[in-house]
Amino acid sequence: MKTGALVLALVTGGHAVPLGQANPDSSPCNQTAMAAAADAYIAAQTAGQLAPLLAVTAANWTYIENNKDISLAGSTAGSILAKALKVDHRRTNYDITACATYTELVSASDPDNPYVIGTQIRHAGQQVVSVDSIVSTTGAWLFDAKKTLEHILQENWTTILPASARDTRSVLQAAGDAYLDMWSNATASAAVPWGTPCTRLEGSAYTGHNRPDDSCKAGIPSNHNQAPNTHRRYVIDETMGSVSVFCVWEHMMNAADSHELRLEGGKLRYVHTMTSCGSKACKL
Ligand SMILES: *[C@@H]1O[C@H](CO)[C@@H](O)[C@H](O)[C@H]1NC(C)=O
Ligand SMILES: *[C@@H]1O[C@H](CO)[C@@H](O)[C@H](O)[C@H]1NC(C)=O
Ligand SMILES: *[C@@H]1O[C@H](CO)[C@@H](O)[C@H](O)[C@H]1NC(C)=O
Ligand SMILES: *[C@@H]1O[C@H](CO)[C@@H](O)[C@H](O)[C@H]1NC(C)=O
């Protein structure tokens, strides 16, 4: 099937900064500018206009939506940014090593336009060089924006304190990789730092029962010979204990996928996923 190869090529071509690595010019990241850019992105999506984003982007910025590089060339045509969305929930995490942010966005109030979106924004030289979004809507895996919003609002994503209790960047990335490796690697699940309680929010499906013994292990892959989850892009925030990984979910129609994990005290506490199969309904 040709589409997969096309998507992979486009995703690979879209990035100047090596994924999951430090900013190559080794300049410290400007968190103020990163916050302003995340706000500009939200303003653009709220207005359905590119203008707020163009105020913070480098001339050569790229826009990737559901793993496809779309040249926006000054217009929102063909992208979700063309739609003005009411933002019912928004959380932004900061990777101050790779100069990148991850924003989780839910728009659930308009029944005709429900969206759950994850967006990674990368910076270089104080400007935005890429906006990379996983956009899920009706037809996406287990999609129901209203339910997703309800579950998100019950969770407790506070800054990990004290700072000495934070997990390192490498621990967080390894947890994300071990989790995503479970589909293609029989020993990966043993490397996931399972915690208790732990809850998974996959699309709108929630494994939590609001109990202290909630487990994330129910229904994890037993078939480890599936196509791997490839072309991973990371945003790691030690203060939030979080790792956001975007990838190609090859074993489900080459879907565009977002997985975000939060660890507390070295143990997995939350998993959020968004999985879009483009214009088709996702199915295994
Ligand atoms: C960081 O970014 C802010 C907002 O764009 C800017 O005002 C400030 O001068 C920058 N700081 C540095 C050290 O460049
Ligand atoms: C794009 O522009 C940024 C900021 O001006 C620069 O750091 C980066 O190297 C450029 N990337 C490419 C692929 O030209
Ligand atoms: C959220 O987590 C913080 C830090 O662990 C804790 O102090 C607070 O009580 C928690 N809030 C809720 C509603 O569980
Ligand atoms: C499988 O997962 C284990 C545990 O994370 C890891 O050590 C090993 O390198 C992985 N194997 C492959 C082929 O990726």
Side-chain angles (χ1 to χ4, degrees):
M1 146 130 177
K2 291 277 190 293
T3 322
L6 176 67
V7 169
L8 304 193
L10 288 169
V11 168
T12 322
H15 291 279
V17 179
L19 304 170
Q21 292 178 24
N23 191 14
D25 64 11
S26 74
S27 68
C29 305
N30 182 333
Q31 197 168 346
T32 310
M34 286 160 62
D39 289 348
Y41 159 71
I42 293 291
Q45 188 63 79
T46 302
Q49 307 267 337
L50 214 44
L53 206 43
L54 291 178
V56 294
T57 45
N60 63 6
W61 74 293
T62 58
Y63 177 78
I64 299 166
E65 188 171 300
N66 288 340
N67 288 347
K68 289 194 187 73
D69 198 332
I70 306 177
S71 178
L72 288 182
S75 126
T76 56
S79 84
I80 186 61
L81 290 171
K83 283 195 182 182
L85 299 184
K86 179 175 180 296
V87 175
D88 297 308
H89 157 80
R90 171 261 169 120
R91 168 173 48 78
T92 296
N93 300 346
Y94 296 87
D95 186 329
I96 58 165
T97 301
C99 302
T101 58
Y102 170 71
T103 296
E104 176 183 78
L105 181 164
V106 180
S107 180
S109 12
D110 177 355
D112 296 328
N113 281 295
Y115 285 95
V116 178
I117 302 173
T119 296
Q120 295 185 345
I121 298 180
R122 292 178 196 280
H123 296 248
Q126 318 258 2
Q127 288 184 305
V128 169
V129 289
S130 80
V131 176
D132 185 352
S133 290
I134 304 293
V135 177
S136 64
T137 187
T138 308
W141 185 240
L142 305 171
F143 185 81
D144 184 327
K146 271 195 168 16
K147 279 191 189 157
T148 299
L149 181 62
E150 277 171 29
H151 294 307
I152 286 176
L153 294 178
Q154 284 165 12
E155 293 184 347
N156 189 8
W157 289 70
T158 47
T159 304
I160 308 277
L161 288 171
S164 58
R166 291 174 188 160
D167 291 302
T168 63
R169 192 173 178 76
S170 56
V171 164
L172 296 170
Q173 181 164 349
D177 278 330
Y179 196 94
L180 290 178
D181 285 348
M182 289 194 292
W183 282 261
S184 56
N185 177 338
T187 58
S189 60
V192 174
W194 303 104
T196 313
C198 178
T199 51
R200 304 195 320 248
L201 176 59
E202 289 163 346
S204 65
Y206 205 56
T207 62
H209 302 285
N210 204 19
R211 292 167 47 137
D213 62 350
D214 277 344
S215 167
C216 279
K217 287 189 186 170
I220 59 166
S222 51
N223 172 3
H224 312 290
N225 296 311
Q226 303 180 69
N229 301 310
T230 55
H231 293 268
R232 299 180 190 177
R233 294 92 82 192
Y234 307 86
V235 173
I236 300 169
D237 183 344
E238 297 94 328
T239 70
M240 190 51 81
S242 67
V243 53
S244 149
V245 193
F246 287 1
C247 68
V248 179
W249 203 247
E250 292 190 18
H251 50 89
M252 192 195 281
M253 303 165 66
N254 284 310
D257 180 84
S258 165
H259 266 66
E260 187 190 27
L261 279 63
R262 168 168 159 115
L263 270 58
E264 293 176 3
K267 300 292 183 193
L268 189 57
R269 177 67 184 90
Y270 295 125
V271 179
H272 286 187
T273 77
M274 306 168 194
T275 308
S276 167
C277 300
S279 55
K280 299 199 171 113
C282 285
K283 56 175 194 272
L284 276 170

